[in-house]
Amino acid sequence: MSDQVWVVGEVLIDLIPNGNEHLAVVGGGPANTAKALAKLGVKTYFIDGISNDEYGQIAKHELISAHVSLDYAQYSNKPTCTAKVILSSSGSASYEFVIEDTATFDFSHQWLPDPQKIKPSLLHIGTLATVIEPGASVLFKWAQSVANVAPIVFDPNIRPAVMDKRGEYMKMVEKWVAISSAVKVSDEDLNWLYPGKVIDQIVNEWLEVGVELVVVTLGDKGITAYRKNEQISVYAVKVVVADTVGAGDTVGAVLVEAIVNNGLDKLTGEVLKSMLNRAVKAAAITVSRTGANPPSKEEID
């Protein structure tokens, strides 16, 4: 097995409100997670289609600057996906996406790396790449092969602005959950997918299908982690919030770091609680800054 951690999904451009204009900022949940992981010192390989256009070059530069490897990226002349960010008065973000026929979602078996040959130590996958067709089906078949050699961490990172058919979205999420070793998900995601259903019940159903660990982020209330017969919660670290962009992705990166360093089976009891405390500390740093700007290992330690 190699020491490579694969992060798969979209890198796109968030157009963030800046007075009367919008500022182009590199975003996409998986790209944010890759940056956060690399800044934690994890050997991170980001896998996506990256455009040769101006936005694509901005994205490429930022990922490389964060020491993310792009050895498995696919470059093309298709445009970069953009997401216009709308911020509420509390700083919470929603998105308007331009997706169709972009390099960002152009996944193909022709260029995805061979997991049986390379044997990564872990795959992190999620957000829109796992629901936007036809790429999502390509990735699911490929991820089933990855699951034979490495744990999969899935983050659904629900985007109702892109797909508002709840039943369809739920089926796709549950399909990915069924092949995952760990899932990181927000309470907002769960409440949208399963309105009126208690979070503990949803999580227990996921644990029953074979997920070993579910980490639920609760915004300013903290994080709760679930394993079979174990539940641990920690409070959020109080800070002045600039915006919440990238906070959940930072938590996902700390989760992956802990699995790589300890092994998923060891993430229990005090080791699990220590990971959660590290995650809320890292997320607090992220939300105190504008955009998805995760902390370095030195800032957390």
Side-chain angles (χ1 to χ4, degrees):
M1 180 179 285
S2 73
D3 59 354
Q4 297 179 11
V5 171
W6 290 357
V7 179
V8 179
E10 65 271 18
V11 62
L12 46 78
I13 293 295
D14 284 331
L15 299 171
I16 306 239
N18 183 32
N20 294 325
E21 299 179 340
H22 280 80
L23 189 65
V25 175
V26 177
N32 295 341
T33 303
K35 285 192 299 180
L37 260 177
K39 289 175 85 170
L40 291 173
V42 175
K43 193 172 181 181
T44 307
Y45 288 71
F46 183 66
I47 302 171
D48 187 21
I50 297 179
S51 175
N52 294 319
D53 67 12
E54 185 183 356
Y55 283 159
Q57 295 313 296
I58 293 170
K60 177 183 176 183
H61 178 262
E62 183 153 321
L63 287 162
I64 290 171
S65 295
H67 303 293
V68 175
S69 171
L70 297 178
D71 286 2
Y72 304 130
Q74 172 75 1
Y75 298 98
S76 82
N77 291 324
K78 292 184 175 183
T80 302
C81 173
T82 57
K84 187 178 281 188
V85 178
I86 295 114
L87 295 177
S88 72
S89 56
S90 65
S92 182
S94 59
Y95 303 84
E96 289 177 359
F97 291 88
V98 176
I99 287 172
E100 201 168 335
D101 203 30
T102 57
T104 314
F105 295 98
D106 192 19
F107 293 99
S108 160
H109 290 295
Q110 270 83 47
W111 63 265
L112 287 166
D114 183 353
Q116 303 305 318
K117 183 179 175 185
I118 303 165
K119 292 185 169 56
S121 60
L122 182 145
L123 168 66
H124 181 287
I125 193 164
T127 316
L128 287 173
T130 53
V131 295
I132 298 293
E133 295 291 8
S137 292
V138 170
L139 285 176
F140 186 76
K141 188 174 180 184
W142 175 78
Q144 286 178 300
S145 177
V146 179
N148 292 322
V149 297
I152 294 178
V153 177
F154 172 54
D155 181 357
N157 216 351
I158 302 300
R159 296 285 184 257
V162 174
M163 191 161 80
D164 59 4
K165 293 176 182 172
R166 187 179 275 109
E168 195 178 322
Y169 216 140
M170 184 177 68
K171 282 179 186 172
M172 295 183 100
V173 166
E174 289 176 351
K175 185 172 79 165
W176 281 96
V177 165
I179 67 165
S180 299
S181 311
V183 179
K184 192 240 85 185
V185 64
S186 72
D187 57 347
E188 287 184 352
D189 289 343
L190 293 175
N191 291 333
W192 187 85
L193 279 175
Y194 305 95
K197 203 166 182 180
V198 179
I199 286 177
D200 288 13
Q201 184 186 346
I202 303 161
V203 169
N204 284 328
E205 287 171 4
W206 289 2
L207 293 171
E208 285 298 322
V209 300
V211 179
E212 292 180 52
L213 174 65
V214 180
V215 174
V216 181
T217 59
L218 307 165
D220 61 5
K221 295 180 183 67
I223 308 175
T224 299
Y226 301 79
R227 298 188 74 116
K228 277 194 176 178
N229 307 314
E230 183 176 23
Q231 181 176 332
I232 299 176
S233 298
V234 298
Y235 290 111
V237 175
K238 302 297 180 188
V239 290
V240 176
V241 176
D243 64 50
T244 62
V245 178
D249 307 316
T250 301
V251 172
V254 173
L255 168 61
V256 169
E257 175 196 38
I259 294 172
V260 169
N261 289 343
N262 300 287
L264 184 53
D265 58 332
K266 301 287 195 304
L267 269 191
T268 182
E270 287 303 312
V271 179
L272 180 55
K273 190 168 187 180
S274 174
M275 182 275 285
L276 295 175
N277 281 319
R278 184 173 174 82
V280 290
K281 183 178 180 183
I285 296 169
T286 301
V287 301
S288 72
R289 314 199 272 222
T290 303
N293 184 7
S296 64
K297 193 174 192 297
E298 291 70 30
E299 287 178 285
I300 307 170
D301 295 341

